[in-house]
Amino acid sequence: DPPDDPLPNGSNCFLNSQCLSEYCSPQNLCDDEPEPPDPGNYTIVLTVGDSHVFGQLNGSTGLNYPFGFRKRLQQEMLPVVVNMVGNRKINPTSSATFDVDHAGVGGETTAQINARVPNLIANYLSPSTCANTVVVLEGGYNGLTTTEPAMSQQIQELVIAIQRFHAFCPDMPVIFMNLKPHATNVPAVSRDRIPIYNAALLTVMS
């Protein structure tokens, strides 16, 4: 039950209603609720990850999914027209409507994705535009395991990548993506592992 007198910031809590600030943080402490970012401020987007950033070309799977989720992302941000940045202009190579730039490489592990982050920061981000930039980070399908410590290391690679982005731009949002639960182009053995990986990923990120 909520206490008779709301608890001040810094107090242990389990419910928002227990706090004078009306916000119980993920760390179970009363705190000031962070202001949600103004989506109108973000005009630069760097998408980093594996084939789920890249999308799917016709191949052994028979799937053709140009842009991956990148077209939907740009559609959702309208009327703001965003500048998508990255070192790749493929799938598709051009578009009259949407920006094709990205940093998705099919088949990469989280370690390989993380290894590319310093170069992406150096070439596609700027301190002068941090306030207008958001990073979307995804990875984990390739080499997916639920065996420890391998799974923890996979997730740690994403944590290090986020820390690298925040070291360059402390206030720049980095949105991490969990894995699609029913990805049809992922082997069945990996699909069974996805819920376990997602649960561990969300625990670490929270």
Side-chain angles (χ1 to χ4, degrees):
D1 293 332
D4 294 333
D5 296 316
L7 300 169
N9 285 359
S11 302
N12 292 324
C13 58
F14 297 98
L15 301 169
N16 288 348
S17 58
Q18 293 178 309
C19 300
L20 184 62
S21 58
E22 297 183 347
Y23 177 63
C24 184
S25 75
Q27 292 75 34
N28 295 111
L29 295 173
C30 293
D31 200 354
D32 292 323
E33 185 167 8
E35 290 291 327
D38 178 359
N41 287 340
Y42 299 113
T43 55
I44 301 169
V45 178
L46 171 63
T47 52
V48 187
D50 55 30
S51 60
H52 292 267
V53 171
F54 176 85
Q56 183 74 34
L57 293 175
N58 281 327
S60 60
T61 62
L63 296 177
N64 184 22
Y65 185 33
F67 278 105
F69 62 83
R70 293 174 283 115
K71 181 170 71 172
R72 172 74 179 272
L73 186 152
Q74 293 178 70
Q75 289 173 322
E76 292 288 344
M77 294 185 74
L78 290 173
V80 176
V81 177
V82 297
N83 176 23
M84 305 290 287
V85 297
N87 62 326
R88 311 206 77 196
K89 294 178 183 289
I90 184 171
N91 195 31
T93 56
S94 64
S95 169
T97 307
F98 300 104
D99 196 333
V100 301
D101 297 338
H102 65 94
V105 179
E108 283 203 332
T109 64
T110 55
Q112 291 169 319
I113 293 167
N114 179 29
R116 290 193 287 121
V117 168
N119 180 267
L120 293 170
I121 290 173
N123 289 286
Y124 299 99
L125 299 182
S126 168
S128 64
T129 57
C130 281
N132 306 112
T133 303
V134 62
V135 172
V136 181
L137 176 66
E138 176 273 335
Y141 283 104
N142 302 299
L144 180 64
T145 179
T146 55
T147 304
E148 294 295 355
M151 183 174 66
S152 293
Q153 181 58 42
Q154 284 178 292
I155 295 172
Q156 186 61 22
E157 296 288 350
L158 296 179
V159 171
I160 294 170
I162 292 172
Q163 291 171 336
R164 284 173 160 167
F165 283 120
H166 281 166
F168 183 77
C169 287
D171 297 324
M172 180 180 65
V174 179
I175 300 171
F176 76 93
M177 299 175 63
N178 65 346
L179 304 187
K180 183 179 178 181
H182 304 292
T184 55
N185 58 332
V186 174
V189 63
S190 295
R191 289 200 295 270
D192 293 341
R193 296 169 177 169
I194 287 172
I196 301 170
Y197 178 89
N198 281 342
L201 177 70
L202 291 171
T203 296
V204 170
M205 293 301 177
S206 66

